[in-house]
Amino acid sequence: KVPSWNEELEAYVLDFNGRVTLASVKNFQLTEMNSENQDRIILQFGRVAKDEFTMDFQWPMSPLQAFAIVLSSCDSKIACD
């Protein structure tokens, strides 16, 4: 999902509905592309503490697929945080 610009914060933001509590370059959301509801989030990942993250997913993503995507996302951004 593409983040939107927040004038008050002067930064790009995503709505994680309270599940993610810290800003990080590793935070992301994936939406289902061909669904009728374009905002149906099927995977979200984000930082909740210094060394802790949360991952939420739903069908059609399997636990293995979700975990593989999250691991690959962390690997490509190690030097960024």
Side-chain angles (χ1 to χ4, degrees):
K1 191 172 184 177
V2 179
S4 59
W5 182 257
N6 183 311
E7 290 291 334
E8 185 178 314
L9 297 174
E10 296 184 359
Y12 287 100
V13 295
L14 285 171
D15 182 12
F16 286 91
N17 296 313
R19 294 285 295 154
V20 175
T21 55
L22 297 175
S24 173
V25 296
K26 296 177 184 172
N27 296 353
F28 70 89
Q29 294 176 328
L30 295 179
T31 58
E32 190 171 22
M33 227 170 133
N34 294 326
S35 71
E36 294 173 13
N37 182 0
Q38 292 294 327
D39 290 335
R40 182 169 177 246
I41 298 167
I42 59 172
L43 171 65
Q44 69 179 17
F45 177 74
R47 185 180 296 269
V48 293
K50 183 177 185 279
D51 293 320
E52 294 179 23
F53 294 85
T54 184
M55 176 184 77
D56 300 316
F57 66 95
Q58 65 178 339
W59 185 91
M61 190 151 305
S62 73
L64 180 62
Q65 289 171 320
F67 193 62
I69 291 168
V70 165
L71 282 179
S72 67
S73 172
C74 287
D75 184 51
S76 65
K77 298 176 184 172
I78 286 177
C80 292
D81 256 352

